[in-house]
Amino acid sequence: MGKVGRVLTAVLLAALPGTAATAAAPAPATQHGTAAAATAPAPARWTGSWEAAPSGTAPALPGTAIRNVVHLSAGGTAVRIRIGNRLGTAPLRLGAVTVALRRGAGADAVPGSLRTVTFRGVHAATVPVGRDLLSDPVRLPVPAAADLLVTVATPTGSGPATYHRTALQTSYLADTGHAADESGSAYTVRTDFWYYVTGVDVLGPATGSVVALGDSLTDGNGSTPDTNHRWPDLLAQRLRGRGVLNAGIAGNRLLRDGAGPSALARLDADALDRAGVRVLIVFEGINDIKGTPVADDPAAFATAYRTLVARAHARGIRVVGVTLTPYGGYSAHTAAGEAVRQRVNAFIRTGGAFDAVADADAAVRDPSAPGRIRPGYDPGDHLHFNDTGMRAIADTVARTLVPALLHPEAPASRETQPRS
């Protein structure tokens, strides 16, 4: 398999305005010449802990406080919030943004945990068209696997709202004046979308993050809503506190725009620019095969995969390729498409483009009908995965991924401050 073309030997942290970026100082030597830091805790650094890749736009919600429920992977002592207007057509005016630990299963905050989020020292901010805005650090201890309430108050319409459609998570709406409420009693309207929030970073000891770039199979279609049973969520349980970011978009394609920008177009914003990225997982291409227009040239897939890998390697990030899983029995299945899938998978396995390969196809296909997924993994549409199938994908990826993460010279991405 291909080797990483460039290895970064230091983690470069981007500083927020007014905050100095500092590298960890070398540990002082003891009288015996042994570094005192040999038993010291790992230095705190910013790591991506949750992500929602923008998938499109929805009508704006003027005069509304949107209480987004998000599930962290890694924990830490502080958080930063990423607010996106990447697909909007007008500047996004933020009346207020708050963050809190969630209490229970509704819209209530843990008492005493609610914080007001600032951007360059001010509470109200404007997010330019086509951009994400990264908040100032917010001191809030958050454990791994915690639920956060990220409430975004939008006093005016500000044009179409950048959102993530397939949240598989209930969030809540109230009047804009309730953004700072600890009680969720005012949040009587529910939504299945995530509005504006595109990421949460944590300051803590996590040893970097991994990003899963994919389509609906990564976004979680077929898994049980409100349970965090998407395969990246289950992978986070296996990786024990490392950041795992889900950059899946239902309907997304590798080669062309559709549901959200193509994987090639959104690679930087949704993957490489995220905080502390060490490994990129690429599980995308089935929508190109079964979509309209059909992509039927395996060489185009090979070129796209090589491009993704080269761009990641230039940032010191390893890349795991995931084979495309069966879709026999799905309404858009064709024999010609299956032939393309087999040839694309042959490239993923043996083409030498990736640093490692997770053979999801082998893990989930029905031994008696290899063009179909196992019945026990099928939610009924013969394409996506139920909770058991999601576990199988997570286990397959984890077996490939863990050694790469634990390698002593594992690189980390250069974090990029979203332009504003």
Side-chain angles (χ1 to χ4, degrees):
M1 295 181 182
K3 300 295 184 181
V4 177
R6 177 183 173 199
V7 177
L8 299 182
T9 58
V11 178
L12 302 180
L13 298 179
L16 290 169
T19 303
T22 58
T30 67
Q31 60 179 339
H32 301 292
T34 303
T39 58
R45 50 174 57 93
W46 289 106
T47 300
S49 184
W50 176 86
E51 173 180 355
S55 65
T57 59
L61 300 172
T64 302
I66 306 154
R67 182 152 283 185
N68 299 278
V69 177
V70 307
H71 185 70
L72 300 183
S73 50
T77 59
V79 299
R80 299 185 307 196
I81 309 299
R82 294 174 184 252
I83 303 296
N85 190 25
R86 210 182 304 161
L87 304 180
T89 59
L92 168 62
R93 182 186 170 197
L94 303 174
V97 177
T98 63
V99 61
L101 286 165
R102 185 192 193 194
R103 184 178 70 176
D108 292 328
V110 171
S113 72
L114 191 139
R115 306 284 190 272
T116 298
V117 178
T118 61
F119 300 85
R120 295 188 172 91
V122 297
H123 296 164
T126 299
V127 187
V129 174
R131 298 284 188 259
D132 283 359
L133 191 62
L134 185 63
S135 80
D136 302 330
V138 179
R139 294 297 173 184
L140 176 65
V142 293
D147 282 352
L148 289 188
L149 304 175
V150 182
T151 305
V152 180
T154 52
T156 61
S158 298
T162 294
Y163 83 142
H164 185 92
R165 180 173 181 174
T166 310
L168 296 174
Q169 174 66 62
T170 302
S171 293
Y172 304 90
L173 308 177
D175 292 340
T176 190
H178 294 283
D181 288 5
E182 285 189 344
S183 169
S185 60
Y187 288 85
T188 57
V189 178
R190 300 187 175 198
T191 178
D192 296 328
F193 307 148
W194 283 312
Y195 283 89
Y196 300 118
V197 183
T198 61
V200 177
D201 301 338
V202 297
L203 182 66
T207 54
S209 60
V210 302
V211 180
L213 185 70
D215 48 38
S216 59
L217 303 179
T218 298
D219 210 1
N221 292 52
S223 66
T224 304
D226 292 318
T227 62
N228 301 304
H229 284 167
R230 313 163 193 85
W231 72 258
D233 297 315
L234 301 175
L235 179 64
Q237 296 174 9
R238 290 285 302 268
L239 298 184
R240 297 185 179 182
R242 292 183 177 87
V244 178
L245 304 180
N246 188 335
I249 296 177
N252 199 235
R253 297 177 67 151
L254 176 69
L255 302 174
R256 64 170 62 234
D257 295 345
S262 72
L264 287 167
R266 65 190 183 92
L267 178 64
D268 285 352
D270 286 346
L272 305 187
D273 288 347
R274 297 287 168 155
V277 178
R278 293 177 181 269
V279 179
L280 171 67
I281 307 164
V282 179
F283 186 17
E284 189 143 18
I286 198 66
N287 286 330
D288 298 83
I289 292 173
K290 70 177 184 59
T292 303
V294 169
D296 56 6
D297 181 7
F301 287 81
T303 298
Y305 289 138
R306 286 194 179 102
T307 298
L308 291 172
V309 171
R311 288 168 59 186
H313 281 180
R315 303 282 287 274
I317 298 169
R318 292 186 176 92
V319 187
V320 175
V322 183
T323 52
L324 305 183
T325 48
Y327 72 118
Y330 182 69
S331 58
H333 179 269
T334 64
E338 175 64 13
V340 174
R341 186 181 74 89
Q342 294 292 346
R343 292 179 65 187
V344 170
N345 277 350
F347 172 80
I348 294 172
R349 292 186 182 107
T350 65
F354 297 100
D355 299 295
V357 172
D359 200 343
D361 173 41
V364 304
R365 66 193 179 208
D366 186 345
S368 63
R372 292 174 174 259
I373 62 176
R374 292 175 181 264
Y377 297 164
D378 188 350
D381 65 2
H382 314 301
L383 171 68
H384 299 102
F385 299 105
N386 59 21
D387 294 352
T388 305
M390 290 289 179
R391 175 71 66 181
I393 297 292
D395 289 347
T396 301
V397 172
R399 285 192 294 271
T400 302
L401 190 60
V402 170
L405 276 177
L406 296 181
H407 191 283
E409 294 182 357
S413 71
R414 292 173 293 176
E415 179 194 347
T416 299
Q417 166 79 22
R419 291 176 294 170
S420 60

